[in-house]
Amino acid sequence: MLPKLPRETLLDFCRRMLLIRRFEEALVGLHDAGHFSGHYHVYIGQEATGVAGLSCLESGDYLFTTHRNHGHLLARGADPRRLLAEILGRRDGYNKGKGGTFHVAAPELGFVHTSGIVGGIIPLAAGAAYAAKAQDSRRIAVCLFGDGALEEGAAAEAFNIASLWKLPVLFLCENNGKYGAGRSVGAAPSLTMAVHPLIDLPRAYKISAQQIDGIDSGAVHQAIFDAVATIRQGDGPRFIEAQTVRWPGSETNWPVVPAPTEVAMAWEVGSVPTAARDWYRISDPLLLFIRDLVEARQTTREEISELDRNVRGIIDDAARFALSSPFPEPETALEDIFA
Amino acid sequence: MLPKLPRETLLDFCRRMLLIRRFEEALVGLHDAGHFSGHYHVYIGQEATGVAGLSCLESGDYLFTTHRNHGHLLARGADPRRLLAEILGRRDGYNKGKGGTFHVAAPELGFVHTSGIVGGIIPLAAGAAYAAKAQDSRRIAVCLFGDGALEEGAAAEAFNIASLWKLPVLFLCENNGKYGAGRSVGAAPSLTMAVHPLIDLPRAYKISAQQIDGIDSGAVHQAIFDAVATIRQGDGPRFIEAQTVRWPGSETNWPVVPAPTEVAMAWEVGSVPTAARDWYRISDPLLLFIRDLVEARQTTREEISELDRNVRGIIDDAARFALSSPFPEPETALEDIFA
Amino acid sequence: MRELAYYEAKLEALSEIMAADDRVHLIGGSFLSLSPRRMLFKKIEEMYRDRVISPPISELGFCGLAVGAAMTGLRPVVDLSTGSFIYEAWPQIVNEAANAFYMSGGRTRAPVVFHLLHGIRGAGAAQHSHSPQAMLWNSPGLEIVLPSSPRDVRGLLKTAVSTDNPTIFVDHIQLFETRGPVPESDDPIPFGRADIKRKGNDVTVVATSYMVQRCLKVAERLGVEGVAVEVVDPRTLVPLDFTTILSSIEKTRRVVIVDETHRSCGVAAELAARILEERFDKLKAPIRRVATLDVPIPYSPPLEDFVSPSESRIIEAIQSVLR
Amino acid sequence: MRELAYYEAKLEALSEIMAADDRVHLIGGSFLSLSPRRMLFKKIEEMYRDRVISPPISELGFCGLAVGAAMTGLRPVVDLSTGSFIYEAWPQIVNEAANAFYMSGGRTRAPVVFHLLHGIRGAGAAQHSHSPQAMLWNSPGLEIVLPSSPRDVRGLLKTAVSTDNPTIFVDHIQLFETRGPVPESDDPIPFGRADIKRKGNDVTVVATSYMVQRCLKVAERLGVEGVAVEVVDPRTLVPLDFTTILSSIEKTRRVVIVDETHRSCGVAAELAARILEERFDKLKAPIRRVATLDVPIPYSPPLEDFVSPSESRIIEAIQSVLR
Ligand SMILES: Cc1ncc(C[n+]2csc(CCOP(=O)(O)OP(=O)(O)O)c2C)c(N)n1
Ligand SMILES: Cc1ncc(C[n+]2csc(CCOP(=O)(O)OP(=O)(O)O)c2C)c(N)n1
Ligand SMILES: [Mg+2]
Ligand SMILES: [Mg+2]
């Protein structure tokens, strides 16, 4: 289902989703070519939540995210050049190369603090909501985390406080189905989480919670739009679980691209290795969105291809920029310890 | 309601509850007389859970308890002399004076480790249950904690693991209504816990949970007897919330005895200061049990008074013993760091 | 100059801070913990109902909440009461708050204050007697404050709230009844300024927190015997005023360090190592550390006294460096 | 003697331990973490399905569970993988496990092993590069083990599982490919026995964990220039074999300490302070510490290298004490 929004907006969603997809695919290439070495995670397969979901926020809102943050930043308009430079540890990165892939922070976009500690941001987001409420601002806080974060006690503690104090925070759980970082397959009910469905946990804390199809941009947009409205109104926290199917390329500890996305795959996934074919055919929010757009006559295959060429250009340029950005001077390691 | 048990057993319950009551009342006196100085907590008002509840255990079972442990130990047959000596920091204490009131451990009675950290024992008890299961023993673990412990993330994490791995553990939450240690009054729904009723939390983790009247020895005995049976059978963890009304003497940071218990108060609380009168009349598990016993013709007022004289004698003797036990040699502080 | 008890100076600072800046929220309401004076805090609580909030027993949760609120415009002061409870919140303090400014390349600030009462309070036993400041000093990104007098607690608390960094305010319940001069209109005390609490030429005793008061007592006694002890109080470990410590040592050339953290990798170890890197050749005797012995804190009073940096151990150490 | 890679020796020890004692349960299944060799652990996992269990992302919960299981008859070995994650379990480790034996007056034992990979792994940034062993040394009641060679990892892991105390097994992923001799039937290596990894008369370098290998490289290079460096590896911090360290110092009278914990209140601080207490007068030069700078670990490679105890910083320190 397509979000009920003007064509321009839908095309903009499509552009952002493509931008995320191409950014992440390029990133895997840059990693495998040895341009950066550390552990990293990509957002492929969750673009609907990042784009359609976060489009419901206002510019003053706060966002807290995790090791899987790239898509969230791009969805909110981050500059791919500076984002990539950060991931490559370069001087022109959002954080001068000090943060890297796990810790991209961009306060001007609302990204206050990004943590690689599972569950770490959940109390922090409640804190931003506490501040917003104390300052009588209309801001809300959005906390983006994976299903695994619910296994950390920090989540339970933060849910309790957010509920007791009616804090304006949206807990947006991106359940990408199977667990990340080499953990055992979490079939439902999962091997590592007794709570099933997951929304039973926030509900125990009297937080109204809802499960949605994270592949369906329309469903995502509607649910998050409504949730944000009630939160901003002062009705307290909300919890949304956006369910997606893990991208096959994220099943290993280090991402691998089973098949680079072709927009044409929205109609014909023939070229894709069988293993991954099902995913691209039925579980890919991007290709699904494109298919719906075209079928709804909101755009044409040609326009999509044009958009894609355009996005690839932006990514190529971002790669050139990041690769030519110098590494920071070693001595700068001694700066920014204290304000 | 009286537990459906032989008269001897009921009288034994009565004796143990009285022992706890007299022990704790004497303890307050010893503290106020300056025989020990640290922060401490008494078990008055929860005797039914300690005595009728823990009577359902076998001798091999493991118990983990908290800052409010005295009653649990006495209920399981701890020697009042050594218990008191420990609380006074003397050489003959259960732990040579190293543990003190918060940390009385008596492995021979099943008390492996007693923690003053709220929530600290919940994962530990799950661990003992894990060991029992791994060793195919029929042992189970019992975790005794207050309502406040549910506010700690450790509880949520332990519930999840215990449920996933079907561990033989009884989570026995003693909800004494109002919070301890000078915290704000936790009217239901509490100011510090959004989960209400509390059993919604373990239930979210698929742990079967039940709320009982912790003042009623019969209800306590039946519920815990049944729970222990299913756990021992291998059906996984259970959660029981035993609700009691906080003893007025425990509302302040340091216990004060509003009125020393008289067994005659089972019939006439006239002598009690009005503030505390209601508690002794309707919320005291000990006096209620005595009243039921007598009304059920299981005993007589005389027999009860005799029992009480007897118990007072034991406590006086324990006090003499503890006060005459020497302090440990200072150098012994350097022993028992490593096994 | 007017004299105040330590707890009075602390409460005065808290009220003045609350009055001066409504970005300050107090999370957790027992800044006087279990002390008999604790009820006095109620006044502040009632005066600022909307800015004093009592959280659940969820240290990890409410400390994280305070950090997040600090990142977004407030200046929360969190009371952890017993210092040992900071361990429940360890990940939020050492891995979120301490790193936020650095990881963001200097873009995100977390001006939060964590207040706690460290050390041997009397029968706190192994689980309620911790002094976490050494561990915290090993975690870059945190300011660490250790007041030891009425004037210091007032002046340092004000600065703690005003800096833009996460600050650990490490207090000690045994200090509460200490009396001392506190000027009516006293300026905040800047971080990184050690204070010579007592002048003397024979030996430099570097002491922190409650140990400062204990060392002043000892110095008094030794003074009678003609030994002139100089007591130097760093007041803040991060930032550290090493210059004042060194110039005292230049003068006395004998050093004893008295601190309540456990000996191994404790505060005294760091100070000793640094002093020796800088003034190795100047010293007339090996530095002596008087720290809490490497033992969990026992409950029984005589044992507790045995493991702590007692007056007798301090005196013995001072005499040994004078030999 | 046969030669093995470090990861092979470690896996061999794990299999032998699992085969020898069915009280041993492995909680958390990534003893090789993210290393390319990690799949090799699967063999053990499949061989002992009932004794290798993969917990939820609940470090506080499963570390506490392991402690409780250890108190009641098992010998769990917990894998925390990245060392930074031990902070999530801090209360269970420093306030329950470390105190259990002492608080109970010697009646409750917790023979649990916590395995973790500490330090700078490469682009781990501020939140995944911690070396918690200094903080842990400040917490009495924990044994702390730091292997640095294939033979040591095998022999020390076996001892870790056999002692009756909570033990922190602090490994380093950068060691995994190191090759070295490992006798077929090797005895467990007792705790508290330092190992002289290289003999030399000019300067004593005390190094731990991965820094031992780095210092051996440096010693090799300086050897060519005619400087004889002795590399002493304590192997366990608790218990500490101080005698071996001191006798090396007796000989060289010059000391450099190289360790990856942050400088302030770090492992090097404690070793320096102790050495100076014992051999103050014997030293010809101030002790130099080469530790990780007091900075959160930056992500960018050149910055990461700048803050770590690099070869160049080690060489500079050795040369300065030789002057
Ligand atoms: C406290 C903590 N424990 C463990 C890890 C290692 N880790 C990194 S990602 C991850 C899986 C997280 O799963 P989920 O929250 O569902 O996020 P996903 O990767 O699936 O998006 C784990 C265990 C961590 N980063 N922090
Ligand atoms: C982690 C931790 N935080 C705070 C405390 C201080 N404290 C001691 S008892 C207590 C109240 C506990 O309430 P509850 O669990 O209901 O037990 P009760 O005293 O009511 O029996 C608190 C907050 C503590 N001991 N541990
Ligand atoms: Mg996931
Ligand atoms: Mg309670």
Side-chain angles (χ1 to χ4, degrees):
Chain A
M1 165 187 105
L2 287 173
K4 300 184 187 13
L5 293 165
R7 177 175 180 283
E8 293 60 37
T9 315
L10 296 179
L11 284 181
D12 177 61
F13 283 9
C14 186
R15 196 187 54 74
R16 288 174 194 253
M17 287 199 221
L18 256 173
L19 187 70
I20 293 170
R21 178 65 53 95
R22 294 303 179 199
F23 182 94
E24 299 289 42
E25 286 177 347
L27 190 62
V28 175
L30 287 163
H31 174 273
D32 298 350
H35 292 298
F36 71 104
S37 66
H39 197 207
Y40 72 109
H41 305 266
V42 299
Y43 194 65
I44 295 176
Q46 303 172 209
E47 291 92 343
T49 309
V51 172
L54 301 185
S55 74
C56 304
L57 301 180
E58 295 181 359
S59 64
D61 295 334
Y62 299 115
L63 295 100
F64 290 80
T65 170
T66 66
H67 59 285
R68 209 173 288 283
N69 62 69
H70 309 161
H72 302 141
L73 275 123
L74 290 170
R76 294 298 290 163
D79 176 352
R81 304 175 2 144
R82 295 182 62 199
L83 180 59
L84 196 50
E86 185 59 33
I87 298 168
L88 299 193
R90 307 307 177 95
R91 201 176 61 192
D92 299 300
Y94 270 104
N95 311 105
K96 308 183 211 162
K98 284 190 167 126
T101 171
F102 282 8
H103 306 302
V104 186
E108 69 278 23
L109 300 172
F111 292 90
V112 177
H113 178 79
T114 300
S115 176
I117 294 302
V118 170
I121 54 166
I122 306 185
L124 293 169
Y130 178 91
K133 188 172 181 173
Q135 293 156 334
D136 300 311
S137 84
R138 51 181 280 114
R139 300 167 186 254
I140 72 166
V142 176
C143 187
L144 293 139
F145 53 89
D147 45 294
L150 296 175
E151 298 164 17
E152 289 284 357
E157 294 189 7
F159 291 162
N160 186 34
I161 297 174
S163 176
L164 288 166
W165 299 349
K166 283 190 128 229
L167 302 179
V169 54
L170 170 62
F171 297 111
L172 183 40
C173 176
E174 294 187 77
N175 181 355
N176 48 13
K178 293 181 177 182
Y179 289 99
R183 305 189 55 256
S184 56
V185 175
S190 131
L191 294 178
T192 52
M193 187 45 149
V195 176
H196 175 67
L198 293 177
I199 51 176
D200 282 356
L201 186 59
R203 280 180 177 169
Y205 289 96
K206 307 266 188 267
I207 294 173
S208 98
Q210 171 185 9
Q211 223 174 32
I212 62 171
D213 177 359
I215 300 167
D216 179 338
S217 300
V220 168
H221 184 269
Q222 184 165 1
I224 295 183
F225 186 90
D226 296 346
V228 165
T230 63
I231 295 166
R232 211 180 290 286
Q233 219 170 273
D235 295 354
R238 292 281 297 267
F239 180 100
I240 289 176
E241 174 196 357
Q243 299 183 317
T244 55
V245 176
R246 196 173 194 80
W247 177 55
S250 286
E251 306 232 343
T252 48
N253 269 2
W254 263 272
V256 279
V257 179
T261 309
E262 299 299 336
V263 291
M265 284 156 53
W267 305 276
E268 179 43 55
V269 293
S271 61
V272 182
T274 38
R277 196 171 298 163
D278 276 353
W279 189 85
Y280 286 101
R281 198 171 62 241
I282 52 179
S283 306
D284 181 347
L286 168 65
L287 294 178
L288 182 71
F289 190 70
I290 292 175
R291 200 178 307 137
D292 290 351
L293 269 182
V294 174
E295 282 171 5
R297 301 252 182 289
Q298 298 279 345
T299 181
T300 62
R301 299 184 179 195
E302 294 61 37
E303 194 175 29
I304 293 295
S305 309
E306 172 57 30
L307 195 63
D308 186 36
R309 266 192 299 284
N310 192 299
V311 164
R312 287 173 190 260
I314 292 170
I315 299 300
D316 293 344
D317 162 69
R320 269 192 304 277
F321 173 86
L323 286 168
S324 60
S325 169
F327 282 102
E329 288 306 318
E331 298 68 26
T332 61
L334 303 180
E335 300 166 3
D336 304 321
I337 304 168
F338 289 108
Chain B
M1 166 187 101
L2 288 172
K4 297 177 188 22
L5 293 165
R7 175 173 182 284
E8 295 60 39
T9 315
L10 296 179
L11 285 180
D12 177 60
F13 282 9
C14 186
R15 198 187 55 73
R16 289 174 194 251
M17 288 201 222
L18 258 171
L19 189 70
I20 293 170
R21 179 66 52 95
R22 295 303 180 200
F23 182 94
E24 299 288 43
E25 286 177 347
L27 191 62
V28 176
L30 288 163
H31 175 272
D32 298 351
H35 292 297
F36 71 104
S37 65
H39 196 209
Y40 73 109
H41 305 267
V42 298
Y43 194 65
I44 295 176
Q46 303 171 212
E47 292 92 343
T49 309
V51 172
L54 301 186
S55 74
C56 304
L57 301 180
E58 293 180 2
S59 63
D61 294 334
Y62 299 116
L63 294 99
F64 290 81
T65 168
T66 66
H67 59 285
R68 208 173 288 282
N69 61 71
H70 308 160
H72 301 141
L73 275 123
L74 291 170
R76 294 297 290 162
D79 176 353
R81 302 169 10 135
R82 296 182 62 198
L83 180 59
L84 197 49
E86 184 60 33
I87 298 167
L88 299 194
R90 306 307 176 95
R91 201 177 60 193
D92 299 299
Y94 270 104
N95 312 104
K96 310 183 211 164
K98 285 191 165 123
T101 171
F102 283 7
H103 306 302
V104 186
E108 67 278 22
L109 300 172
F111 292 89
V112 178
H113 177 81
T114 300
S115 175
I117 293 303
V118 169
I121 55 166
I122 305 185
L124 294 168
Y130 178 90
K133 188 173 182 173
Q135 294 156 333
D136 299 310
S137 84
R138 50 180 283 113
R139 298 166 185 257
I140 72 166
V142 176
C143 187
L144 293 139
F145 53 90
D147 46 294
L150 296 176
E151 297 164 16
E152 289 284 356
E157 294 188 7
F159 291 163
N160 186 33
I161 296 173
S163 176
L164 288 165
W165 299 349
K166 282 186 130 241
L167 302 179
V169 54
L170 171 61
F171 297 111
L172 183 39
C173 176
E174 295 188 74
N175 182 354
N176 48 12
K178 293 183 175 180
Y179 288 99
R183 304 186 57 253
S184 57
V185 175
S190 129
L191 295 179
T192 52
M193 187 46 150
V195 178
H196 176 66
L198 293 177
I199 51 175
D200 282 356
L201 186 58
R203 280 182 176 167
Y205 288 96
K206 307 266 187 267
I207 295 174
S208 98
Q210 170 184 12
Q211 224 175 29
I212 63 172
D213 177 0
I215 299 166
D216 180 338
S217 299
V220 168
H221 184 268
Q222 184 164 1
I224 294 182
F225 186 90
D226 296 344
V228 166
T230 63
I231 293 165
R232 214 180 288 287
Q233 219 169 274
D235 294 355
R238 293 281 299 264
F239 180 101
I240 289 176
E241 174 194 356
Q243 299 184 318
T244 55
V245 177
R246 195 174 194 81
W247 177 55
S250 286
E251 307 234 342
T252 47
N253 269 3
W254 262 272
V256 280
V257 179
T261 309
E262 298 298 337
V263 290
M265 284 157 50
W267 306 277
E268 179 44 56
V269 294
S271 61
V272 181
T274 37
R277 196 171 296 164
D278 278 351
W279 189 86
Y280 285 100
R281 197 170 63 239
I282 50 177
S283 306
D284 181 346
L286 169 66
L287 294 178
L288 182 71
F289 189 70
I290 293 175
R291 199 179 306 138
D292 290 351
L293 270 180
V294 174
E295 282 171 5
R297 301 252 183 291
Q298 297 279 344
T299 182
T300 62
R301 298 184 179 197
E302 295 61 36
E303 194 175 28
I304 292 293
S305 308
E306 173 56 29
L307 196 63
D308 186 37
R309 267 192 298 283
N310 193 298
V311 164
R312 287 170 189 263
I314 293 171
I315 298 299
D316 293 344
D317 163 69
R320 271 192 304 276
F321 173 86
L323 286 166
S324 61
S325 169
F327 282 102
E329 289 305 319
E331 298 69 22
T332 62
L334 303 180
E335 300 165 3
D336 304 320
I337 305 167
F338 288 107
Chain C
M1 198 194 294
R2 88 180 159 154
E3 205 181 73
L4 289 182
Y6 188 96
Y7 73 88
E8 294 172 310
K10 186 176 180 179
L11 282 173
E12 184 173 273
L14 275 172
S15 338
E16 289 171 354
I17 287 164
M18 291 299 279
D21 185 347
D22 61 14
R23 294 171 307 169
V24 178
H25 283 233
L26 305 183
I27 297 175
S30 62
F31 285 82
L32 300 179
S33 187
L34 297 170
S35 104
R37 312 292 189 170
R38 65 183 172 277
M39 300 318 289
L40 295 171
F41 179 76
K42 285 261 166 297
K43 252 226 250 76
I44 295 175
E45 212 170 350
E46 275 143 28
M47 196 152 165
Y48 301 100
R49 291 215 163 285
D50 54 336
R51 291 196 283 133
V52 180
I53 188 153
S54 166
I57 315 171
S58 313
E59 291 80 4
L60 183 60
F62 68 73
C63 287
L65 174 131
V67 175
M71 289 171 169
T72 51
L74 296 189
R75 297 192 162 257
V77 182
V78 182
D79 171 39
L80 279 153
S81 70
T82 304
S84 305
F85 305 154
I86 196 175
Y87 295 150
E88 313 294 308
W90 211 243
Q92 285 293 334
I93 292 167
V94 306
N95 217 356
E96 305 294 346
N99 291 333
F101 189 67
Y102 193 80
M103 294 197 308
S104 66
R107 308 187 67 198
T108 295
R109 298 175 178 216
V112 57
V113 178
F114 296 103
H115 163 276
L116 51 88
L117 297 168
H118 83 96
I120 294 175
R121 70 187 187 189
Q127 289 190 321
H128 290 73
S129 305
H130 290 94
S131 293
Q133 55 269 37
M135 293 182 180
L136 292 163
W137 197 1
N138 189 243
S139 175
L142 302 169
E143 294 174 328
I144 304 173
V145 190
L146 292 152
S148 71
S149 74
R151 184 173 192 168
D152 288 354
V153 72
R154 184 170 184 273
L156 291 169
L157 189 52
K158 290 185 170 186
T159 305
V161 173
S162 72
T163 72
D164 275 348
N165 302 304
T167 305
I168 318 286
F169 196 84
V170 186
D171 205 347
H172 201 304
I173 195 167
Q174 300 289 2
L175 286 165
F176 286 8
E177 299 300 321
T178 310
R179 299 190 63 81
V182 183
E184 298 287 350
S185 65
D186 201 13
D187 293 339
I189 296 169
F191 287 178
R193 294 247 189 101
D195 184 37
I196 308 226
K197 288 278 193 296
R198 188 183 209 271
K199 288 213 156 298
N201 294 324
D202 298 339
V203 54
T204 297
V205 172
V206 182
T208 67
S209 185
Y210 177 47
M211 293 303 111
V212 171
Q213 294 301 333
R214 189 171 281 172
C215 290
L216 286 172
K217 268 218 234 115
V218 167
E220 216 37 68
R221 278 173 55 184
L222 294 180
V224 181
E225 301 163 23
V227 181
V229 178
E230 178 146 302
V231 179
V232 182
D233 175 3
R235 295 200 292 199
T236 57
L237 296 177
V238 183
L240 180 68
D241 172 4
F242 203 49
T243 327
T244 303
I245 294 171
L246 288 184
S247 49
S248 170
I249 292 169
E250 291 279 353
K251 179 176 66 178
T252 64
R253 305 178 64 179
R254 302 173 188 280
V255 188
V256 171
I257 305 168
V258 184
D259 172 84
E260 211 180 318
T261 57
H262 284 294
R263 177 182 178 80
S264 290
C265 295
V267 167
E270 178 58 26
L271 291 172
R274 283 196 201 189
I275 291 166
L276 286 151
E277 278 159 352
E278 300 288 329
R279 292 295 183 276
F280 179 69
D281 43 357
K282 292 263 184 308
L283 293 177
K284 289 219 190 88
I287 294 175
R288 281 291 303 275
R289 290 185 280 166
V290 183
T292 299
L293 302 182
D294 283 339
V295 181
I297 308 303
Y299 172 80
S300 185
L303 276 56
E304 187 189 57
D305 180 68
F306 183 80
V307 304
S308 66
S310 56
E311 289 186 27
S312 56
R313 285 178 59 212
I314 296 168
I315 290 168
E316 183 277 319
I318 291 174
Q319 282 159 347
S320 81
V321 298
L322 286 168
R323 254 182 243 112
Chain D
M1 200 195 293
R2 94 182 151 147
E3 208 183 69
L4 289 181
Y6 188 96
Y7 73 88
E8 294 172 309
K10 184 175 181 180
L11 283 173
E12 185 173 272
L14 276 172
S15 334
E16 289 170 356
I17 287 164
M18 290 299 279
D21 185 347
D22 62 14
R23 295 171 305 168
V24 179
H25 283 233
L26 305 184
I27 297 174
S30 61
F31 285 81
L32 300 179
S33 186
L34 296 171
S35 102
R37 311 291 187 171
R38 64 184 173 277
M39 299 320 288
L40 295 170
F41 179 76
K42 284 261 167 297
K43 253 227 249 71
I44 296 176
E45 210 169 353
E46 276 144 25
M47 194 150 167
Y48 301 100
R49 291 214 164 287
D50 54 335
R51 293 198 281 131
V52 180
I53 189 156
S54 168
I57 315 173
S58 312
E59 291 80 7
L60 183 61
F62 67 73
C63 288
L65 173 128
V67 175
M71 289 171 169
T72 51
L74 297 189
R75 295 190 163 259
V77 182
V78 181
D79 171 37
L80 279 153
S81 70
T82 304
S84 305
F85 306 153
I86 196 175
Y87 295 151
E88 314 294 309
W90 210 244
Q92 285 293 334
I93 291 166
V94 306
N95 217 356
E96 305 293 348
N99 291 333
F101 189 67
Y102 193 81
M103 294 196 309
S104 66
R107 307 187 66 198
T108 295
R109 300 176 177 214
V112 57
V113 177
F114 296 102
H115 163 275
L116 51 88
L117 297 168
H118 83 95
I120 293 176
R121 70 184 187 194
Q127 289 191 321
H128 288 73
S129 306
H130 289 93
S131 293
Q133 55 267 38
M135 293 181 181
L136 293 163
W137 197 0
N138 190 244
S139 174
L142 302 170
E143 294 174 329
I144 304 173
V145 189
L146 292 152
S148 72
S149 74
R151 184 173 191 166
D152 289 353
V153 73
R154 185 169 182 273
L156 292 170
L157 189 51
K158 289 183 170 188
T159 304
V161 173
S162 72
T163 72
D164 276 349
N165 303 305
T167 306
I168 318 286
F169 196 84
V170 187
D171 205 347
H172 201 303
I173 195 166
Q174 300 289 2
L175 286 166
F176 286 8
E177 299 300 322
T178 310
R179 300 188 64 79
V182 183
E184 297 287 350
S185 66
D186 201 12
D187 294 339
I189 296 169
F191 287 177
R193 297 250 187 98
D195 184 37
I196 308 222
K197 287 279 194 295
R198 188 183 209 272
K199 289 213 155 299
N201 294 325
D202 298 339
V203 55
T204 297
V205 172
V206 183
T208 66
S209 185
Y210 177 47
M211 293 303 112
V212 172
Q213 294 301 332
R214 190 171 280 174
C215 289
L216 287 172
K217 266 218 232 119
V218 167
E220 214 38 66
R221 278 174 53 185
L222 294 180
V224 182
E225 300 164 25
V227 181
V229 178
E230 180 146 299
V231 179
V232 182
D233 175 4
R235 293 199 294 199
T236 58
L237 296 176
V238 184
L240 181 68
D241 172 4
F242 203 49
T243 327
T244 303
I245 293 172
L246 288 184
S247 49
S248 171
I249 291 169
E250 291 279 353
K251 180 176 67 178
T252 64
R253 306 177 65 177
R254 303 173 186 281
V255 188
V256 171
I257 305 168
V258 184
D259 172 85
E260 211 180 318
T261 57
H262 284 295
R263 177 183 179 81
S264 290
C265 294
V267 167
E270 178 57 28
L271 291 172
R274 283 197 199 188
I275 291 165
L276 286 152
E277 277 159 353
E278 299 289 329
R279 292 296 183 274
F280 179 67
D281 42 359
K282 292 263 182 309
L283 293 176
K284 292 220 188 90
I287 295 174
R288 281 290 304 274
R289 291 183 280 166
V290 184
T292 299
L293 302 182
D294 284 340
V295 181
I297 308 302
Y299 172 80
S300 183
L303 276 56
E304 187 188 58
D305 180 68
F306 183 80
V307 304
S308 67
S310 57
E311 289 185 27
S312 56
R313 285 179 57 211
I314 296 167
I315 290 169
E316 184 277 320
I318 292 174
Q319 281 160 348
S320 81
V321 298
L322 285 170
R323 255 182 243 110

